[in-house]
C-alpha cells in the first residue's frame, strides 16, 4: 500500500467523523416554532362603537404570551342570516397622525402638518389586534344598529378573526359589531342614541313633547328679571346649549354665541371676562356682535393627550363676565360647557337663555 | 520478620517447584506497580529470552506468577509505561516491579465500573488529571482547580464565598429546575457523581435550597484537601458511566487519593501562605462631590416647585455644615478587606506491596474578603492496604474532616446586607465606637458559626479464588453532621437579639459486592464483571428561630418566651432513600485492536414512583485501535490511534418523598382530635420516573511523533429525558400541580483536546502546551402537552421581572425580556400612534428623549406586560482552557487559563449601579457614570438612558431590569493561575536533613479578559444574572513550600 493510500485512509477517518458529527439533522431535534397559545382570545367579542369617531378597542385581547408578530385578519364577515357583510370594509380617506399633537401648535397649518389623509377600510383590525372603527364611517356608509334597540341576528354583523404566526393559526369565531349611529358631538344627551331623534326629558321619558337639552355649567349667573341665580338641571332649565351646524362657514369653523330668551344674540363683548384667545386651540378669531368665530381643526379635541385646551376627552368653552354686586364685591359669572365635536364641519355652540336673560349690570 | 518473610516464601515456593518442574525452572511471583500512582497494573506483558518471548501477563490486580529459568532476565512492558528489565538474582522468586509512565495520555490506566483498565482498551470518553495539575493553588473547593482542564467539563467559579462551590456541568445542561426570583434565581445543580476512593458522594448535598442556604452549605467537595489527591478522572459518555448507575447520568468524577508506597516512610509537608484581595469594587463619588451632584441633579430634573422645596427639607444634602453629614466615608472598605491566610498539609506514608499505609493531615484557613466571613478546614485522611499474598487484599480508609464557616449575616452565596450598606451615602458618619447603624452591626457583629463534620470509613476486601476469578466487597459509611448557630445582637435587630439554629445530619451506607473474571485466550481477552450495589441514604435537618431573646449576653438557652419563638422544625429536605442495583459487564478484545464492551445495569430506587422503581440501563461500547492494523504499521510517526463508538443509558433519581407520596400536614382538628391531611399544593405522583440520559459518543484518540502531539476528539448526542417539571392541574382535581417527567432536552456537541510538546524532552527543558475546547448546544425537546411548546417561568419579583422561557426547539433557558433598541435621542424619535395621535407611552407617561427605546412588540404604542420577547441563552456555548507547563532545570512554570464564550449575562449589577441615581433624596451613594455611554442631552446617541431624570423614574423605569439593555455577551478568557516553582538540588538540601524542597509562588484568579461591562463575567449565577449582592471572587497570591524529610538512611 502506498503512502498516499494510507494518508487517504487516515483522511477518510477524519472525514467520516466530521460528517457524522456535523450533520445535526440526524439528531431529529424539534424545530423552533413561534408559540401560539391555545388561550389566545378576546374576552369581549361584542363591539359597540359609535360611527363617525375613531374608536380603537382592545376588546380584552389576551395573547397569553404568544409570539409576536401576530397577524390578525377579519374573515367571514356576515350577517346573522349568512349574507356577506361588505359595508364595513369600504375604503375612505381618514386623518392619521404622523407627529405628536402637543397643543403648542401656533397655526392650523402646523397642526395639519402633523397629520395626513390615508385610505383605510372603515373598520379594520391592526397588527396589535386592536379593532379600529375610523372616523370616516357614518350613518350612510354603515347602517347603524336598529332604531328600536333590538338585536336580531339578521340585523347584526358577525365576523371571525384569524390570528397567525409561524407557529400556526387560529380562527376566533363569532365577533359581533353593532355600531351606534353617529353622535357628532358630546354631550349628546339631547339626541336618542338609537334613533338620532330628540331625546325625551329624563324626568318625563314617556312625554314625547318634552325633550332633553344639553345643559351648561352655570356659576353666579343672575337672572335679569328674577334676580335669582340661573340654574340648569333636570327640573329647571334656565339655560341650555345647542351644538349645531351652521351654514356659510369655511368647513372648519367653530362659532360660540349666546342668545337671550327672545332669540336675540347677545353681544359677546358682554362676556367681558372671557378668555377668548386661550380658551380653545383655535385660530383666526373673528368677533362680531353676535358671535365669536374661529378656524379650528376637527375633531375637538384632536387627541386624547392632555393639553392646555383639553383634559384628554373634552375641550371647554367658558363665557365669563363680572359685575359688582351688593356690598361692592365683584362677582364673576361663568357659563361653561365641556364638549367634543367629532364630525368635521361648521359648528356653533349656542348658549340659549330660556326663562330669563343674564344680568350684566352692576347691582 | 520483614526480612525473613521473602525467604520463607521462596522456600515454600521452591519446595513446591521441585516436585513439578525440572530444576532449571523457578516459579516467580510478584506485583507490578505504577511508580507514580502507586496502583497496580493489570495486563503487563512479561517476556524473557532473546529474542523476548512473552510468557505471561499480570492479573487484574497486577500480580503475576511465571515459571522461568533461574537468574533469567524478565522484561516487563506495558503500553504507556517505560519498559522495565529485571535480572533475577540467584534464588529470587519474588519480584516487585515499579513501572514509570512515559507520559502518553492514551495509555493511562482508567477506572471503569470500579475496575482498573488500560485506557487503550476502553471504549468510553474520559479524561484524567494528575496531581501536578491541581497542586500549588490554595482554594477551598477542589472543583475550582478543574476549570478549563477538561474538554466538556464546564466549571464556573461563580462565587468567592469561602467553602462554597461554583457550578459544574459535564456535557451541558442537566436541570430545568429554577428556584427563587430575580437575581436570586437559582438553577438547581445536578452535579456529576463523585466517587472518592471507591465511595460515592453526593456533591449537591448543601445546595438543595439554592441561594437560600439553610445550614452551613459546605459542600463535601470543599472538605477534600487538594494536596491529598493523586488523580481525578472525569467520565463523560454513557459507556464510561454506565456502571455507576444512579446519578451517573450527569457524568462521573473519580477522585483517587494518594496511597502509601515507599519502603522508607516518607514525611512530606506542604504549606502555603496566601493573600486574598477583593477585586475592584464599585467606584463611588464621596463627600462634597456627592452632595453637589445630588443638588445639581435635583435642580436640573425637578418637575415641580415641591421638588425644589424638598431639597431644602433634606438636611443631609442642604445642611453641609452639619457635622453629622459632613463626611466622606468609603462604605465598601467597612465591609471588604484583604486577608492573610494559610494552609498546611502533612502526609506520612510508607510500606510496600504487602502492607502500606498513608496518613494525611490538612489544615486550611481562609478569611473572606467580606468581613465576618471565612472558612476553616481540618482534615485527616488515612488508608492502609494489606495484601499478604496474591489472593487476598484488604483495604481500609478513614476520612474525617471538619469545615467551619461563617456567613456573616448573609446566606453564604449572597451578602445582601453588605451590598445594601456598601451603597450608603458617603455623607453619613462612619461606624465608630460611639455609633454604628444597625445594618453595619448586623453585617459585622452577627455571630454566625457553621460546622460541617464529615466522617467517611471504607473497607474493601478482595479474594481471588482461582486466577482471574475474584470476589471483592466494599462497605462504606459516610456521615455528616451540620450545625449552624447564628446570633444577631440587639443593636442589629430592632433592639432585640435573635437566635437561629440549624442542625442536620446526613448519612450514606453503601455496599458493593463484585465478582469478576478475567481470562486470556491467546489473542482474545475477556473480562466479566458482575456486581450489586446497595445504598441507604438519609438526611434530616431541623431549624429553630427565636426573635427577641433577653439580651446580648444570653446567647442560649433561649426557650424563655414562646411568644417570640418563630418555631422551626424539620426542613423539607428530609429524605430516607434506598437504591439497590445489579450490574453486569462483559468486555472482549482481540489483540487490543478490536474492543467490545457491553454492560447492563438494573437500578431500583426509592426515589422513583412505587409503580416502577426499577430502570434498565444498558450500554454498548466499541473501539477500534486502527493503528494496530497491519497496514498502519509502517507509519512511524503514529504511536497509536483509535476510534470509539458508544451508546448507553443512565439514570439519576430526581424525585423526593413528597413528589411520590405527597406531603401531609397537621391541619386543624376534627372532633377535638388533630387531623392530618394531604397538602393540596402538589398531588403525589406514584409514576415518577428517574431522569434518564441516553447518550451516543463518537471519539477519536491519537498520539503522534512519540507523544509529542496528542489529540482527543469526541462528539456526542445526549438526550436527557424524564426531567422534572411542574404541571399545573385543573382545579377540579383539588390540587394545584403535579411533578411530572414530561420535559426533555438534548445536548450535543464536540470536544477537542490537544497536547503539544514542541521540544524533544531534554534534560533541562520540558515544555508542554495543552488546549481544549468544547462546544455544547442544548435544545429543549419536550414540554408537557398542555403547554403547546412554550412555558414561561415568570419572575415573581416585581423589581426584576426577568422571566425565563422554555420553548421547544430552542436553547433551553432563554430570557423573556423587553427588547431595548437604544435610547431616544430626541423627543421626535418617539413614535406616534397614527390612530390616536398619542406618543408611545408607559405607566401613563409618554416617552421622551433620554428614555430607553423599548420595542413595542405588539404595536399598540403602549409598553405593557405584553411587550416581551424571547432572547439570549444563559448557558455558555463554548468552554475550554489552555495550559502550559515549562520546566527548566529546577525551575518550573505552570500557567492555566480557561475560557467561556457565547453566553448571555444580564448585568443586573450595572442596572443597580445606574439606578442608584434614581432618588437623589435617598441616603445612598452616587457613582461616577462618565465612563458609560449615557444620554445627557438632546441628540445624544447613547446606549444607556438618562439616569438623572429622577422625577419621571417611577413611571418610565429606564433601568428596569427586564430589558435586553443588560443582556451582554459573557465571553471571557481567564488566567486561572500562574505558578513559578523552584526545586532545590537534592544534594544541597540533604545536608539540612531534607529529601525534597520546593518553593513556589502562585497567583490565582489572576486576570480576566472580557468585553463585559460588569466587574466579572464569571461571578454570575448559573442563569447568567450578575447579582450585585453576590460574593466577589478574590484574587489570591500565595507563597508555598513543599518539603520531604530525609527519613531514609
Amino acid at each position: 500500500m502506498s503512502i498516499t493510500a494510507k494518508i487517504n485512509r487516515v483522511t477518510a477517518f477524519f472525514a467520516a467523523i466530521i460528517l457524522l458529527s456535523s450533520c445535526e439533522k440526524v439528531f431529529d431535534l424539534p424545530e423552533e416554532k413561534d408559540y401560539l397559545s391555545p388561550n389566545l382570545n378576546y374576552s369581549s367579542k361584542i363591539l359597540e362603537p359609535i360611527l363617525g369617531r375613531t374608536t380603537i378597542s382592545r376588546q380584552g385581547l389576551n395573547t397569553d404570551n404568544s409570539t409576536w408578530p401576530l397577524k390578525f385578519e377579519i374573515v367571514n364577515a356576515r350577517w346573522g342570516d349568512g349574507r356577506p357583510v361588505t359595508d364595513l370594509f369600504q375604503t375612505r380617506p381618514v386623518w392619521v397622525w404622523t407627529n405628536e399633537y402637543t397643543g403648542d401648535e401656533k397655526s392650523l397649518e402646523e397642526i395639519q402638518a402633523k397629520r395626513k389623509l390615508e385610505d383605510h377600510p372603515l373598520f379594520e383590525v391592526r397588527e396589535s389586534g386592536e379593532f379600529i372603527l375610523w372616523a370616516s364611517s357614518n350613518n350612510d356608509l354603515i347602517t347603524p344598529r336598529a332604531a328600536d334597540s333590538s338585536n336580531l341576528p339578521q340585523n347584526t354583523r358577525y365576523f371571525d378573526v384569524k390570528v397567525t404566526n409561524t407557529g400556526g393559526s387560529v380562527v376566533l369565531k363569532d365577533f359581533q359589531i353593532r355600531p351606534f349611529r353617529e353622535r357628532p358631538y358630546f354631550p349628546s344627551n339631547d339626541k336618542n342614541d338609537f334613533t338620532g331623534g330628540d331625546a325625551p326629558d329624563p324626568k318625563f321619558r314617556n312625554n314625547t313633547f318634552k325633550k332633553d337639552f344639553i345643559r351648561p355649567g352655570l356659576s353666579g349667573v343672575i337672572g335679569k328679571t328674577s334676580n335669582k341665580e340661573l340654574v340648569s338641571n333636570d327640573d329647571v332649565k334656565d339655560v341650555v346649549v345647542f351644538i349645531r351646524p351652521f351654514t356659510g362657514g369655511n368647513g372648519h369653523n367653530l362659532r360660540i354665541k349666546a342668545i337671550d330668551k327672545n332669540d336675540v344674540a347677545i353681544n359677546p363683548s358682554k362676556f367681558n371676562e372671557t378668555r377668548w384667545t386661550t380658551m380653545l386651540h383655535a385660530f383666526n378669531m373673528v368677533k362680531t356682535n353676535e358671535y365669536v368665530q374661529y378656524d379650528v381643526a376637527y375633531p375637538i379635541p384632536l387627541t386624547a393627550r392632555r393639553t392646555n385646551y383639553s383634559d384628554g376627552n373634552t375641550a371647554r368653552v367658558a363665557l365669563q363676565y363680572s359685575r359688582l354686586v351688593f356690598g361692592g364685591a365683584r362677582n364673576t359669572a361663568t357659563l361653561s360647557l365641556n364638549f367634543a365635536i367629532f364630525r368635521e364641519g361648521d359648528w356653533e355652540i349656542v348658549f340659549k337663555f330660556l326663562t330669563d336673560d343674564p344680568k350684566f349690570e352692576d347691582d | 520478620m520483614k526480612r525473613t518473610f521473602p525467604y520463607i516464601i521462596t522456600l515454600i515456593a521452591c519446595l513446591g517447584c521441585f516436585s513439578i518442574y525440572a530444576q532449571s525452572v523457578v516459579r516467580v511471583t510478584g506485583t507490578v506497580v505504577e511508580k507514580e500512582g502507586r496502583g497496580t497494573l493489570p495486563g503487563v506483558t512479561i517476556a524473557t529470552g532473546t529474542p523476548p518471548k512473552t510468557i505471561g501477563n499480570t492479573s487484574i490486580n497486577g500480580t503475576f506468577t511465571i515459571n522461568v529459568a533461574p537468574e533469567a532476565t524478565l522484561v516487563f512492558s506495558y503500553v504507556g509505561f517505560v519498559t522495565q528489565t529485571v535480572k533475577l538474582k540467584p534464588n529470587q522468586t519474588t519480584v516487585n516491579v515499579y513501572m514509570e509512565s512515559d507520559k502518553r495520555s492514551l495509555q493511562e490506566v482508567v477506572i471503569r465500573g470500579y475496575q482498573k483498565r488500560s485506557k487503550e482498551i476502553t471504549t468510553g470518553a474520559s479524561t484524567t488529571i494528575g496531581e501536578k495539575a491541581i497542586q500549588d493553588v490554595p482554594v477551598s473547593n477542589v472543583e475550582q482547580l478543574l476549570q478549563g482542564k477538561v474538554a466538556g467539563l464546564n466549571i464556573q467559579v461563580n462565587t468567592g464565598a469561602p467553602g462554597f462551590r461554583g457550578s459544574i456541568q459535564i456535557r451541558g445542561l442537566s436541570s430545568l429546575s429554577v428556584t427563587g426570583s430575580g437575581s436570586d434565581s437559582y438553577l438547581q445543580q445536578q452535579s456529576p457523581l463523585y466517587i472518592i476512593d471507591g465511595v460515592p458522594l453526593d456533591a449537591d448535598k448543601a445546595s438543595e435550597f439554592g441561594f437560600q442556604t439553610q445550614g452551613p452549605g459546605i459542600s463535601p467537595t470543599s472538605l477534600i484537601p487538594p494536596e491529598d489527591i493523586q488523580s481525578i478522572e472525569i467520565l463523560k459518555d454513557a459507556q464510561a458511566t454506565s456502571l455507576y448507575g444512579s446519578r451517573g447520568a450527569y457524568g462521573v468524577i473519580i477522585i483517587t487519593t494518594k496511597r502509601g508506597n515507599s519502603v522508607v516512610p516518607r514525611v512530606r509537608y506542604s504549606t502555603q501562605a496566601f493573600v486574598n484581595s477583593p477585586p475592584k469594587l464599585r467606584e463611588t463619588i464621596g463627600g462634597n462631590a456627592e452632595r453637589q451632584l445630588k443638588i445639581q441633579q435635583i435642580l436640573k430634573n425637578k418637575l415641580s416647585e415641591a421638588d425644589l422645596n424638598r431639597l431644602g427639607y433634606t438636611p443631609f444634602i442642604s445642611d453641609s455644615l452639619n457635622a453629622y453629614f459632613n463626611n466622606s466615608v468609603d462604605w465598601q472598605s467597612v465591609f471588604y478587606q484583604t486577608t492573610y491566610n494559610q494552609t498546611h498539609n502533612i502526609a506520612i506514608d510508607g510500606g510496600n506491596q504487602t502492607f502500606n499505609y498513608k496518613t494525611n493531615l490538612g489544615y486550611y484557613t481562609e478569611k473572606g474578603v467580606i468581613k465576618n466571613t471565612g472558612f476553616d478546614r481540618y482534615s485527616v485522611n488515612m488508608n492502609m492496604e494489606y495484601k499478604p499474598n496474591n489472593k487476598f487484599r484488604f483495604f481500609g480508609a478513614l476520612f474525617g474532616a471538619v469545615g467551619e464557616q461563617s456567613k456573616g449575616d448573609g446566606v453564604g452565596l449572597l451578602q445582601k446586607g453588605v451590598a445594601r450598606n456598601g451603597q450608603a451615602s458617603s455623607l453619613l458618619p462612619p461606624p465608630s465606637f460611639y455609633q454604628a447603624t444597625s445594618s453595619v452591626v448586623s453585617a459585622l457583629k452577627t455571630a454566625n458559626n457553621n460546622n460541617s463534620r464529615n466522617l467517611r470509613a471504607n473497607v474493601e476486601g478482595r479474594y481471588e479464588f482461582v486466577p482471574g476469578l475474584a470476589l471483592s466487597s466494599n462497605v462504606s459509611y459516610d456521615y455528616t453532621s451540620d450545625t449552624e448557630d447564628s446570633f444577631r445582637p440587639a443593636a442589629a435587630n430592632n433592639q432585640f437579639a435573635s437566635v437561629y439554629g440549624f442542625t442536620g445530619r446526613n448519612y450514606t451506607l453503601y455496599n458493593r459486592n463484585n465478582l469478576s473474571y478475567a481470562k486470556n485466550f491467546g489473542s482474545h481477552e475477556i473480562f466479566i464483571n458482575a456486581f450489586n450495589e446497595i445504598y441507604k441514604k438519609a438526611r434530616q435537618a431541623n431549624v429553630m428561630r427565636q426573635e427577641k431573646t433577653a439580651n446580648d449576653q444570653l446567647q442560649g438557652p433561649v426557650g424563655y418566651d414562646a411568644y417570640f419563638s418563630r418555631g422551626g422544625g424539620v426542613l423539607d429536605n428530609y429524605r430516607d432513600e434506598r437504591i439497590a442495583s445489579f450490574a453486569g459487564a462483559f468486555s472482549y478484545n482481540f489483540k487490543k485492536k478490536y474492543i467490545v464492551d457491553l454492560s447492563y445495569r438494573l437500578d431500583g430506587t426509592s426515589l422513583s414512583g412505587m409503580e416502577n422503581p426499577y430502570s434498565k440501563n444498558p450500554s454498548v461500547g466499541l473501539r477500534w485501535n486502527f493503528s494496530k492494523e497491519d497496514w498502519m504499521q509502517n507509519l512511524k510517526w503514529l504511536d497509536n490511534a483509535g476510534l470509539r463508538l458508544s451508546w448507553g443509558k443512565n439514570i439519576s433519581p430526581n424525585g423526593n418523598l413528597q413528589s411520590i407520596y405527597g406531603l401531609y400536614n397537621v391541619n386543624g382538628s376534627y372532633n377535638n382530635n388533630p387531623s392530618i391531611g394531604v397538602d393540596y399544593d402538589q398531588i403525589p405522583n406514584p409514576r415518577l420516573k428517574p431522569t434518564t440520559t441516553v447518550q451516543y459518543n463518537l471519539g477519536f484518540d491519537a498520539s503522534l511523533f512519540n507523544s509529542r502531539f496528542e489529540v482527543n476528539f469526541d462528539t456526542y448526542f445526549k438526550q436527557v429525558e424524564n426531567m422534572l417539571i411542574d404541571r399545573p392541574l385543573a382545579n377540579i382535581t383539588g390540587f394545584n400541580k403535579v411533578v411530572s417527567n414530561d420535559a426533555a432536552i438534548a445536548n450535543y456537541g464536540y470536544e477537542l483536546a490537544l497536547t503539544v510538546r514542541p521540544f524533544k524532552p531534554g534534560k533541562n527543558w520540558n515544555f508542554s502546551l495543552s488546549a481544549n475546547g468544547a462546544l455544547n448546544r442544548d435544545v429543549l425537546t419536550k414540554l408537557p402537552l398542555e403547554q403547546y411548546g412554550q412555558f414561561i417561568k415568570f419572575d415573581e419579583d416585581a423589581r426584576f421581572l426577568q422571566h425565563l422561557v422554555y420553548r421547544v426547539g430552542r436553547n433551553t433557558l432563554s430570557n423573556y425580556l423587553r427588547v431595548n433598541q437604544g435610547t431616544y435621542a430626541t423627543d421626535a424619535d418617539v413614535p406616534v400612534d397614527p390612530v390616536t395621535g398619542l406618543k408611545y407611552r408607559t405607566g401613563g407617561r409618554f416617552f421622551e428623549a433620554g428614555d430607553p427605546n423599548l420595542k413595542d412588540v405588539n404595536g399598540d404604542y403602549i409598553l405593557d406586560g405584553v411587550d416581551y420577547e424571547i432572547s439570549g441563552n444563559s448557558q455558555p456555548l463554548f468552554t475550554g482552557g489552555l495550559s502550559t507547563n515549562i520546566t527548566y532545570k529546577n525551575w518550573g512554570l505552570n500557567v492555566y487559563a480557561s475560557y467561556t464564550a457565547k453566553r448571555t449575562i444580564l448585568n443586573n449589577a450595572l442596572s443597580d449601579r445606574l439606578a442608584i441615581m434614581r432618588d437623589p433624596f435617598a441616603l445612598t451613594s452616587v457613582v461616577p457614570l462618565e465612563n458609560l455611554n449615557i444620554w445627557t442631552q438632546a441628540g445624544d446617541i447613547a446606549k444607556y438612558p438618562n439616569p438623572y431624570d429622577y422625577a419621571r423614574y417611577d413611571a418610565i423605569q429606564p433601568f428596569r431590569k427586564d430589558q435586553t439593555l443588560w443582556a451582554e455577551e459573557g465571553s471571557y478568557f481567564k488566567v486561572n493561575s500562574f505558578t513559578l516553582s523552584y526545586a532545590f538540588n537534592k544534594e544541597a538540601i540533604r545536608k539540612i536533613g531534607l529529601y525534597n524542597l520546593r518553593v513556589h509562588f502562585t497567583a490565582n484568579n489572576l486576570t480576566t479578559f472580557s468585553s463585559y461591562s460588569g466587574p466579572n463575567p464569571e461571578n454570575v449565577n448559573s442563569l447568567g444574572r450578575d447579582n450585585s449582592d453576590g460574593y466577589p471572587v478574590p484574587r489570591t497570591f500565595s507563597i508555598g513550600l513543599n518539603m520531604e524529610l530525609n527519613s531514609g538512611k
Side-chain angles (χ1 to χ4, degrees), chain A residues 88-280:
Chain A
L88 288 175
F89 311 111
Q90 305 173 73
T91 305
R92 290 288 181 277
V94 69
W95 288 113
V96 295
W97 291 96
T98 56
N99 233 322
E100 189 195 23
Y101 165 76
T102 59
D104 299 333
E105 290 77 5
K106 297 284 183 291
S107 67
L108 210 53
E109 290 70 36
E110 202 179 329
I111 292 175
Q112 296 295 38
K114 291 185 169 183
R115 57 179 185 171
K116 61 175 184 189
L117 281 171
E118 248 179 37
D119 282 344
H120 279 273
L122 301 179
F123 179 68
E124 62 180 343
V125 58
R126 74 168 173 179
E127 58 185 355
S128 62
E130 292 163 307
F131 297 101
I132 303 165
L133 182 73
W134 289 98
S136 48
S137 59
N138 59 37
N139 297 347
D140 303 330
L141 295 171
I142 297 175
T143 320
R145 63 193 301 169
D148 58 3
S149 80
S150 66
N151 287 312
L152 300 174
Q154 61 267 35
N155 294 333
T156 305
R157 295 170 180 88
Y158 291 85
F159 63 89
D160 302 336
V161 173
K162 185 179 178 189
V163 188
T164 314
N165 66 9
T166 65
S169 72
V170 62
V171 176
L172 308 170
K173 291 204 183 285
D174 296 340
F175 290 77
Q176 298 177 36
I177 178 165
R178 307 177 190 151
F180 277 101
R181 62 189 308 112
E182 281 185 272
R183 293 173 213 163
Y185 53 82
F186 171 88
S188 59
N189 58 309
D190 59 331
K191 299 288 182 206
N192 183 297
D193 290 348
F194 290 90
T195 64
D198 290 337
D201 189 306
K203 285 268 165 170
F204 307 95
R205 288 202 172 276
N206 295 325
N207 184 344
T208 49
F209 298 102
K210 282 176 123 58
K211 53 178 276 189
D212 198 7
F213 292 95
I214 302 170
R215 298 195 298 269
L218 293 172
S219 162
V221 182
I222 306 295
K224 198 177 200 172
T225 47
S226 64
N227 218 16
K228 277 187 187 161
E229 190 157 337
L230 299 182
V231 293
S232 186
N233 55 36
D234 281 352
D235 299 313
V236 184
K237 295 181 183 64
D238 292 329
V239 192
V240 298
V241 180
F242 304 113
I243 302 177
R244 59 192 185 196
F246 70 91
T247 48
N250 62 4
H252 48 88
N253 279 150
L254 178 68
R255 273 184 195 171
I256 313 290
K257 68 198 261 191
I259 49 180
D260 64 16
K261 61 180 183 185
N262 300 320
D263 281 351
V264 177
I266 301 170
N267 190 338
S269 303
K270 296 247 187 185
F271 300 98
N272 55 1
E273 301 282 350
T274 303
R275 300 183 184 125
W276 294 107
T277 51
T278 57
M279 180 168 67
L280 295 164

Side-chain angles (χ1 to χ4, degrees), chain B residues 174-251:
Chain B
S174 57
S175 172
L176 293 177
S177 168
V178 175
T179 56
S181 60
S183 280
D184 302 350
S185 296
Y186 184 83
L187 181 64
Q188 200 65 49
Q189 283 219 58
Q190 299 288 353
S191 293
L193 172 70
Y194 279 80
I195 308 273
I196 300 182
D197 288 337
V199 183
L201 186 129
D202 181 7
D204 289 336
K205 184 178 77 76
S207 59
E208 61 270 335
F209 292 105
F211 284 118
Q212 305 304 319
T213 323
Q214 303 267 14
I218 301 171
S219 165
T221 52
S222 297
L223 294 175
I224 306 163
E227 293 91 343
D228 194 30
I229 292 174
Q230 178 72 48
S231 70
I232 299 178
E233 193 190 349
I234 291 92
L235 311 184
K236 297 189 282 200
D237 75 345
Q239 199 285 325
T241 59
S242 60
L243 288 172
Y244 293 96
S246 110
R247 287 203 75 94
Y250 303 130

